[in-house]
């Protein structure tokens, strides 16, 4: 049942192309994005003047990625917040606020309470969920199911990629309804999304490399993760995976913050994973990251660089180079997250831990 693997998580990592395709299936029809499971009229989407994304853990990281896409495509302000913070604040919401509640299980207590809190203030709530009929979609105005299939591993993998894709569908539906993108632009963005399962399939060829690398870094006392733009949430997610599975100290940073503190942590032999943007898509950010890497390498860090295929400028600064296929900038998390999932799982396995059932954690957090 583990598809020949030692643990479910690796099977689920390998199912990601299919999970992504299933999430996207049926949502582009007659030249338009259709959120057919969504009980929300085009008019409702047109009236939205602000978006809040609320979620926990990995789902929250998918929300951070959504912010870059939704703001870019729709020019709507997007705030992304941990459900456990949102529900105890006094956020400014009204009937033109769209609250997107992201939850794989659909049962996370804090996210559910955030939904209730938002609805009490008349905001409209759209749930993004992987579990049919769960409590969060039941209490929301509308739901977009991810169709990633059941996830057994406590660590979210295929549902994370599916959430990212679902968030993009919401962003494109908003852009379409508000007219901030022409129909042919929406069609082009959707076509790019549809090409990502094949790109993710290609990234799976890095599994062996990550396995060897995992054995090399399994004894480190900490691992740092750096990224910029959409690579920043990817860095946060890479660090979360490592904490939860390998019980190692791991931190994700926005690379631009390095000089504001974290660089003091760099010491000889410390593994630092760097998520590079595309040299073509985001040339300025790319150059800045190259300079960040050279600084940490000069201080003795062991650099593990996730970069676009053919990115030669970064090669001299990468002690380990992990190449991922070129995809448009906003979609990069779909490919760059995958090697980090494998790295965390394989470090955990090397250290002798149960990859599918990490200590102290439950698949669905129904207590607060
Ligand atoms: O079911 P949910 O998506 O609401 O769960 C949220 C988090 O508990 C979850 O993503 C958690 O962080 C994962 N174990 C991470 O791998």
């Amino acid at each position: 049942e583990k598809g020949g693997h030692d643990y479910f998580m690796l099977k689920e990592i390998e199912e990601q192309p299919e999970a992504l395709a299933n999430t996207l299936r049926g949502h582009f029809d007659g030249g338009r994005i259709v959120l057919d499971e969504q009980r929300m009229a085009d008019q409702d989407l047109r009236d939205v003047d602000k978006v809040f994304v609320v979620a926990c853990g990995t789902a929250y990281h998918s929300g951070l990625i959504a912010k870059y896409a939704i703001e870019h495509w729709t020019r709507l302000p997007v705030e992304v917040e941990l459900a456990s913070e949102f529900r105890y604040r006094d956020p400014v919401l009204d009937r033109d606020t769209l609250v997107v509640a992201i939850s794989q299980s659909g049962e996370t207590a804090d996210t559910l309470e955030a939904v209730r809190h938002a609805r009490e203030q008349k905001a409209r709530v759209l749930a993004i969920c992987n579990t049919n009929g769960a409590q969060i979609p039941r209490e929301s105005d509308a739901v977009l199911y991810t169709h990633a299939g059941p996830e057994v591993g406590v660590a979210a993998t295929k549902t994370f990629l599916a959430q990212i894709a679902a968030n993009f569908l919401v962003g494109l539906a908003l852009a379409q309804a508000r007219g901030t993108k022409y129909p042919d632009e929406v069609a082009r963005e959707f076509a790019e999304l549809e090409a990502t399962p094949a790109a993710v399939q290609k990234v799976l060829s890095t599994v062996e490399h990550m396995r060897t690398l995992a054995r090399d870094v399994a004894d480190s006392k900490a691992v740092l993760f750096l990224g910029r733009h959409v690579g920043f949430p990817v860095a946060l997610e890479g660090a979360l995976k490592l904490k939860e599975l390998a019980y190692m100290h791991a931190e994700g940073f926005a690379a631009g913050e390095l000089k504001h503190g974290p660089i003091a942590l760099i010491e000889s032999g410390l593994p630092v994973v760097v998520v590079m943007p595309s040299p073509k898509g985001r040339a300025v950010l790319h150059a800045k990251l190259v300079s960040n890497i050279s600084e940490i390498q000069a201080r003795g860090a062991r650099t593990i660089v996730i970069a676009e295929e053919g990115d030669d400028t970064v090669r001299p600064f990468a002690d380990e180079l992990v190449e991922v296929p070129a995809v448009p900038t906003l979609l990069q998390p779909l490919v760059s997250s995958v090697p980090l999932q494998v790295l965390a799982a394989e470090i955990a396995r090397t250290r002798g831990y149960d990859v599918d059932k990490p200590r102290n954690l439950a698949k669905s957090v129904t207590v607060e």
Side-chain angles (χ1 to χ4, degrees):
E1 38 167 26
K2 295 177 189 159
H5 300 301
D6 297 342
Y7 50 92
F8 278 106
M9 184 179 162
L10 189 55
K11 173 173 175 271
E12 289 163 356
I13 287 171
E14 293 190 348
E15 284 169 357
Q16 292 187 111
E18 198 189 333
L20 259 182
N22 287 344
T23 296
L24 296 172
R25 182 163 303 118
H27 288 297
F28 191 76
D29 193 29
R32 289 179 60 76
I33 298 284
V34 263
L35 304 181
D36 55 356
E37 290 152 295
Q38 184 205 25
R39 302 178 290 262
M40 213 171 258
D42 244 26
Q43 183 58 45
D44 298 325
L45 292 180
R46 253 195 300 277
D47 292 342
V48 168
D49 62 10
K50 182 176 178 186
V51 179
F52 265 102
V53 181
V54 292
C56 303
T58 292
Y60 168 72
H61 295 152
S62 87
L64 292 176
I65 295 163
K67 176 179 168 81
Y68 293 86
I70 301 177
E71 288 189 339
H72 180 64
W73 290 334
T74 68
R75 311 308 301 135
L76 284 169
V78 180
E79 284 193 45
V80 189
E81 198 164 0
L82 294 166
S84 55
E85 290 297 318
F86 175 90
R87 59 176 287 208
Y88 293 112
R89 278 201 311 123
D90 197 4
V92 182
L93 311 169
D94 60 29
R95 58 183 69 251
D96 292 331
T97 311
L98 177 67
V99 173
V100 181
I102 311 172
S103 175
Q104 182 285 128
S105 62
E107 303 290 350
T108 298
D110 280 317
T111 311
L112 177 58
E113 288 303 329
V115 166
R116 291 176 176 160
H117 188 53
R119 292 199 73 200
E120 271 161 24
Q121 291 172 71
K122 306 282 180 265
R124 272 180 294 235
V125 178
L126 167 65
I128 291 182
C129 183
N130 196 50
T131 314
N132 257 320
Q135 196 63 20
I136 289 170
R138 276 213 301 272
E139 295 202 23
S140 299
D141 295 290
V143 54
L144 180 60
Y145 282 111
T146 40
H147 302 297
E151 191 171 64
V152 175
V154 163
T157 53
K158 62 177 180 174
T159 58
F160 175 57
L161 262 61
Q163 283 162 351
I164 300 172
N167 295 341
F168 287 162
L169 289 174
V170 173
L172 289 176
L174 279 165
Q176 173 179 274
R178 295 167 47 78
T180 50
K181 284 236 165 248
Y182 291 116
D184 60 319
E185 292 173 314
V186 173
R188 210 166 36 241
E189 298 287 357
F190 186 80
E192 310 261 23
L193 260 179
E194 268 197 312
T196 54
V200 174
Q201 188 64 47
K202 275 181 84 180
V203 191
L204 292 174
S205 64
T206 60
V207 168
E208 275 314 312
H209 182 187
M210 300 319 289
R211 203 165 255 166
T212 322
L213 193 55
R215 283 195 288 268
D216 271 20
V217 297
D219 291 332
S220 307
K221 70 172 194 229
V223 180
L224 302 186
F225 293 77
L226 298 181
R228 276 180 189 255
H229 195 261
V230 288
F232 171 40
V234 172
L236 295 176
E237 172 62 8
L240 176 62
K241 284 283 159 292
L242 199 55
K243 281 177 224 180
E244 79 173 324
L245 297 171
Y247 321 146
M248 279 167 93
H249 176 236
E251 288 292 328
F253 297 106
E257 281 293 291
L258 208 53
K259 287 193 175 66
H260 301 284
I263 199 162
L265 292 169
I266 306 291
E267 56 187 29
S268 179
L270 179 77
V272 181
V273 177
V274 185
V275 183
M276 289 298 293
S278 160
K280 299 183 283 289
R282 279 288 189 281
V284 175
L285 288 188
H286 184 274
K288 292 203 161 147
L289 258 167
V290 169
S291 127
N292 291 145
I293 305 180
S294 68
E295 281 163 358
I296 56 177
Q297 207 188 32
R299 286 165 178 78
R302 171 159 193 209
T303 59
I304 300 168
V305 180
I306 316 292
E308 187 174 294
E309 274 164 3
D311 180 352
D312 291 329
T313 35
V314 83
R315 205 171 276 275
F317 306 104
D319 296 319
E320 293 286 342
L321 183 64
V322 182
E323 292 189 301
V324 296
V327 295
T329 295
L330 288 168
L331 307 186
Q332 274 171 358
L334 295 169
V335 290
S336 52
S337 303
V338 177
L340 306 191
Q341 298 168 338
V342 181
L343 184 68
E346 287 292 317
I347 292 179
R349 183 162 66 161
T350 307
R351 289 164 70 107
Y353 304 139
D354 183 339
V355 176
D356 291 326
K357 288 196 180 49
R359 68 185 181 199
N360 307 339
L361 293 171
K363 181 68 183 162
S364 134
V365 185
T366 52
V367 290
E368 297 169 24

